[in-house]
Amino acid sequence: MVEKQLKERIIETALTLFEKYGYHGVTVDRIVAECGASKGGFYHNFKSKDELLYHIHDVFITYVLNKAQEAYVKYRTPTKRLCAIIHSFVRVFHIYKPHITVFNQEAAYLKPEYAEKINEKREQYKQIIFQVLREGIEAKEFRSEISIELAGLSIIGMVNWMYKWYKPDGPMSIEQIAAVFNDLILHSLLTEEAKRDEDISSFLLSHVGEE
Amino acid sequence: MVEKQLKERIIETALTLFEKYGYHGVTVDRIVAECGASKGGFYHNFKSKDELLYHIHDVFITYVLNKAQEAYVKYRTPTKRLCAIIHSFVRVFHIYKPHITVFNQEAAYLKPEYAEKINEKREQYKQIIFQVLREGIEAKEFRSEISIELAGLSIIGMVNWMYKWYKPDGPMSIEQIAAVFNDLILHSLLTEEAKRDEDISSFLLSHVGEE
DNA sequence: GTGAACAGACCAACTAGTCGGTTTGAAATA
DNA sequence: TATTTCAAACCGACTAGTTGGTCTGTTCAC
């Protein structure tokens, strides 16, 4: 196995520090000191501290957007699609918790040209959720009286908020959290008929483990 | 009417700027320039820039905590209490949107002695929500299979997340948003029996306006 | 007159980014 | 194989600009 590349080491160290102290609470000098590098090494790999921040944002949003698109394509019904997307969304916290923290906390400090690129992908992500909710209402799986926009933003909010409290070594596993979230969300969205559908209600907590 | 005090003007200006550019994106010089004050005036009213940040945090959390306690005392059943708390929570965005944005974005930069005080109140707020959920399960109004912790954090997350998208002049009023949130949350929490209770289900969207 | 409220020039510390130099490793050459 | 070459990777002292905070006044209300 080859020695871990400097760029990777810088990113990892920066991530840990940013998560704890915030982007402005960490100096470039501190980052390079903490990972045994130098100013020169840093600026050889990154144009600026801002570019590092952008890189962190981009890695996460690109990954999570891909996962959502995969989940959408893989399943055919709105409920299954929604559950799969939420499941993948929650699961990302397992690997990318520091990225997500930085993403949610420091986005305001992205330079305009970077912010634009990130916002585009963020917007795409939202649209996938909205799309699934729309399809769910059309298919009469989801209640028609809910607001797609508000329901979508609620889902995004409750999952994203995990970055404030989720601890990888906490009492609940990622899989358990995802299951509970899906249960809560489906209970708030499903129509009465849909709940009676065996295939759909299998995603609800009270049915987990049943055959 | 007396001339608006300098301290108030500083806070208002700082709030607007912090909301847009972040705490570290705004200098003390900028704040005082923008509200026609001076460095001297600023440091006469605040010990430091950090104290101003703390003050903003404290005003908001104190207010919202009070509102939740009031709502808790005012009503007697878990469902009513929860709806009232959420309603008051959402409503705060109408007056304190900039405060909340700063509260959610910049808390990491609070100096330890300040952070501790704020966290205490934040924790109290969470406990009120947990308490209501606990009572709701005991009273068989809320489903017993849900996790109090996760349900509580979900609620807090979806409401707090509003700071990312809520615009006071947007298409939905605060009251409408609160109604939709309550509908979504209750649908995910209520037991089947509770939903059949006229008194309880009056908080659901499909029943709003009915007699 | 006296102290609180405010003004604004000034300072010291900090920090992102630079720049000339050194190391390293792999390809080219002999 | 031994040697040269050269560019990419990396180093770290230095700089220029910024920014929170201070300090010496001045104004104003009572």
Side-chain angles (χ1 to χ4, degrees):
Chain A
M1 168 147 179
V2 290
E3 178 77 35
K4 189 167 279 185
Q5 290 309 303
L6 179 62
K7 187 166 184 176
E8 274 312 306
R9 264 170 40 225
I10 291 175
I11 293 170
E12 269 180 41
T13 311
L15 233 15
T16 313
L17 292 172
F18 286 168
E19 184 180 14
K20 200 164 179 181
Y21 306 105
Y23 180 69
H24 289 281
V26 179
T27 66
V28 175
D29 279 315
R30 173 112 186 253
I31 296 170
V32 298
E34 213 118 320
C35 70
S38 67
K39 265 304 191 38
F42 182 94
Y43 283 96
H44 178 74
N45 284 286
F46 299 98
K47 276 172 56 187
S48 63
K49 194 186 175 192
D50 299 282
E51 201 203 34
L52 168 60
L53 184 63
Y54 166 69
H55 184 270
I56 292 170
H57 275 70
D58 192 54
V59 164
F60 161 66
I61 190 68
T62 301
Y63 180 86
V64 81
L65 182 57
N66 268 333
K67 285 288 168 186
Q69 284 163 340
E70 278 173 33
Y72 184 91
V73 172
K74 187 169 174 189
Y75 297 96
R76 307 269 75 169
T77 75
T79 300
K80 282 182 185 169
R81 279 176 170 164
L82 185 64
C83 286
I85 289 170
I86 290 165
H87 192 260
S88 78
F89 193 176
V90 172
R91 196 197 276 266
V92 190
F93 279 82
H94 188 58
I95 355 171
Y96 285 130
K97 165 91 189 299
H99 289 76
I100 302 174
T101 303
V102 173
F103 188 87
N104 286 324
Q105 286 280 109
E106 317 289 351
Y109 294 121
L110 280 175
K111 290 274 173 295
E113 65 266 31
Y114 293 136
E116 207 178 339
K117 291 186 189 181
I118 297 297
N119 269 330
E120 215 169 281
K121 293 190 177 178
R122 201 203 307 265
E123 188 58 32
Q124 277 181 54
Y125 194 87
K126 264 167 56 179
Q127 288 308 324
I128 292 178
I129 305 257
F130 291 166
Q131 176 64 20
V132 173
L133 292 176
R134 209 174 295 121
E135 290 169 4
I137 291 175
E138 277 165 22
K140 305 226 191 282
E141 291 184 10
F142 301 157
R143 296 186 291 131
S144 59
E145 64 264 40
I146 61 138
S147 150
I148 289 171
E149 183 111 358
L150 279 195
L153 291 169
S154 297
I155 292 170
I156 291 170
M158 67 186 269
V159 181
N160 263 323
W161 200 252
M162 280 178 67
Y163 88 86
K164 294 266 191 186
W165 54 265
Y166 173 67
K167 299 277 179 300
D169 51 348
M172 292 197 109
S173 73
I174 276 289
E175 299 299 323
Q176 286 175 300
I177 295 170
V180 172
F181 275 8
N182 272 334
D183 174 84
L184 291 172
I185 291 166
L186 288 189
H187 265 97
S188 70
L189 296 181
L190 292 179
T191 59
E192 291 305 315
E193 308 94 81
K195 278 186 202 160
R196 283 191 291 272
D197 184 319
E198 281 299 315
D199 205 37
I200 289 175
S201 65
S202 65
F203 291 98
L204 300 179
L205 263 192
S206 50
H207 292 72
V208 165
E210 284 186 15
E211 277 308 297
Chain B
M1 166 150 179
V2 291
E3 178 78 33
K4 189 167 277 185
Q5 290 311 301
L6 180 61
K7 188 166 184 177
E8 274 312 307
R9 266 171 37 226
I10 290 174
I11 294 170
E12 269 179 41
T13 311
L15 234 14
T16 314
L17 292 172
F18 287 168
E19 183 179 15
K20 199 164 181 182
Y21 305 106
Y23 180 68
H24 288 281
V26 179
T27 66
V28 174
D29 279 315
R30 173 113 186 251
I31 296 170
V32 297
E34 213 117 323
C35 69
S38 67
K39 264 310 191 33
F42 182 94
Y43 282 95
H44 178 73
N45 284 285
F46 299 97
K47 275 173 57 185
S48 62
K49 193 187 176 192
D50 298 284
E51 201 204 34
L52 167 60
L53 183 62
Y54 166 69
H55 185 269
I56 291 170
H57 275 70
D58 192 54
V59 165
F60 161 66
I61 190 66
T62 301
Y63 180 87
V64 81
L65 182 57
N66 268 334
K67 285 288 168 185
Q69 284 163 339
E70 278 173 32
Y72 184 90
V73 172
K74 186 170 174 188
Y75 296 96
R76 307 268 76 168
T77 75
T79 301
K80 283 181 185 170
R81 280 176 170 164
L82 185 64
C83 285
I85 289 170
I86 290 164
H87 192 259
S88 78
F89 194 177
V90 172
R91 197 196 275 267
V92 191
F93 280 81
H94 188 59
I95 355 170
Y96 285 131
K97 166 89 189 299
H99 290 75
I100 303 174
T101 303
V102 173
F103 188 87
N104 285 325
Q105 287 280 109
E106 317 289 351
Y109 295 120
L110 280 175
K111 290 275 173 293
E113 65 267 30
Y114 293 136
E116 208 178 339
K117 291 186 190 180
I118 297 298
N119 269 330
E120 215 168 283
K121 294 191 177 178
R122 201 203 308 265
E123 189 57 32
Q124 278 182 51
Y125 194 87
K126 264 167 57 180
Q127 290 306 327
I128 293 178
I129 305 258
F130 291 165
Q131 177 63 20
V132 173
L133 292 175
R134 210 173 295 122
E135 291 169 2
I137 291 174
E138 277 165 22
K140 306 229 191 279
E141 290 184 11
F142 302 156
R143 297 187 290 131
S144 60
E145 64 264 41
I146 61 139
S147 151
I148 289 171
E149 181 113 358
L150 279 196
L153 291 169
S154 297
I155 291 169
I156 292 170
M158 66 187 270
V159 181
N160 264 323
W161 200 252
M162 279 178 68
Y163 88 86
K164 294 266 191 188
W165 54 266
Y166 173 66
K167 298 276 180 300
D169 51 347
M172 292 197 109
S173 73
I174 276 289
E175 300 299 322
Q176 286 176 301
I177 294 170
V180 173
F181 275 7
N182 271 335
D183 173 86
L184 291 172
I185 290 166
L186 287 189
H187 265 98
S188 69
L189 295 182
L190 292 179
T191 59
E192 291 306 314
E193 308 94 82
K195 279 187 202 159
R196 282 191 291 273
D197 184 319
E198 281 301 313
D199 205 37
I200 290 175
S201 65
S202 66
F203 291 99
L204 301 178
L205 262 193
S206 51
H207 292 72
V208 165
E210 282 186 17
E211 278 306 298

